[in-house]
Amino acid sequence: LPAEDRLRMAEILAPRPEPISRIRAKNLLEAVKQDQRLSLQHDLMLGQLYFAVGDWEKCKSQMLSTVSRYKTSPDARIQYINMLLQRGDERDMNMAVRQMAELRKLAPNDIRTVQLMSELGAKTGQEENVRKYLLGLLPKSAAGAKLEENQIPLVEFVATQLVKLGDLDNAEKLFRQVVASQPGKLYALAD
């Protein structure tokens, strides 16, 4: 098949649940990669396939190559940090911290950056620094007052991230503010 058809076939096979489909997609991408450079989308797909089939060494190599080739892509770093966090190996946390530092330069206001920062902070013992950062995201007018409609999603997001860090006291206060402003969000507080 021509490279374009192999790439399309890999796109069809990669999300399928059967392991054999993922392996075929991986093999197709590897074959195309031997002949030409892959796009960011296909590089990330290949990294994800290595991760899904449990080949960490190839996954790590693929993701490092992708991150270095696409230095300004937040998506590449986000996917790599997610993989490092999912894997959960202590030896990989230093790499996750370095990638997070670069991601914060690239996309400091991206919601995914803040979520990953919370998860990484919880795994590396930096809960206090992340907690201060998250609380600093809150609008000053929100402290103790009834929230405006446009402030509710941010306050709810920060409260959710605080739960991940184990700061249940501050999270509860924020969720109570959300419920006071929007009673329909009672399930968020209960959760």
Side-chain angles (χ1 to χ4, degrees):
L1 292 173
E4 188 174 306
D5 291 342
R6 285 185 278 172
L7 291 172
R8 295 271 186 267
M9 183 60 79
E11 290 170 6
I12 292 168
L13 292 172
R16 297 197 46 86
E18 308 88 21
I20 191 69
S21 294
R22 292 187 198 134
I23 292 169
R24 286 182 180 155
K26 175 187 71 73
N27 292 341
L28 287 166
L29 289 171
E30 287 174 337
V32 172
K33 188 177 178 180
Q34 287 179 348
D35 298 333
Q36 68 186 42
R37 183 176 262 185
L38 296 176
S39 67
L40 172 61
Q41 172 194 353
H42 293 114
D43 266 336
L44 293 176
M45 185 184 298
L46 183 55
Q48 191 63 46
L49 288 165
Y50 285 138
F51 190 75
V53 299
D55 192 340
W56 177 242
E57 289 307 313
K58 281 188 178 179
C59 175
K60 187 165 59 170
S61 174
Q62 174 67 27
M63 293 309 298
L64 282 171
S65 169
T66 303
V67 164
S68 64
R69 186 175 311 127
Y70 299 98
K71 293 182 187 319
T72 60
S73 170
D75 293 333
R77 291 188 193 279
I78 286 168
Q79 184 168 317
Y80 188 33
I81 294 167
N82 262 321
M83 290 173 174
L84 292 165
L85 290 172
Q86 284 178 35
R87 189 153 185 275
D89 193 323
E90 290 291 322
R91 297 170 292 186
D92 295 325
M93 287 303 117
N94 287 335
M95 176 58 76
V97 168
R98 288 195 303 272
Q99 293 298 324
M100 178 55 73
E102 291 300 317
L103 179 60
R104 286 186 67 188
K105 291 177 195 172
L106 286 173
N109 298 324
D110 190 316
I111 194 166
R112 299 170 300 173
T113 302
V114 178
Q115 287 172 325
L116 287 173
M117 197 171 68
S118 296
E119 288 180 44
L120 186 59
K123 290 195 179 213
T124 58
Q126 298 295 315
E127 294 94 341
E128 186 59 30
N129 292 338
V130 175
R131 185 183 73 76
K132 286 178 185 175
Y133 173 78
L134 288 169
L135 293 174
L137 294 174
L138 295 172
K140 302 302 178 220
S141 61
K146 188 170 181 172
L147 299 173
E148 295 176 24
E149 189 70 29
N150 64 343
Q151 295 174 325
I152 292 173
L154 174 63
V155 173
E156 189 174 9
F157 171 74
V158 169
T160 302
Q161 298 309 307
L162 289 172
V163 169
K164 289 180 184 177
L165 288 175
D167 186 357
L168 301 180
D169 292 335
N170 280 318
E172 181 183 355
K173 289 175 192 172
L174 293 175
F175 275 126
R176 287 192 182 281
Q177 279 187 282
V178 169
V179 170
S181 300
Q182 211 172 51
K185 298 275 186 176
L186 183 61
Y187 290 114
L189 172 61
D191 209 21

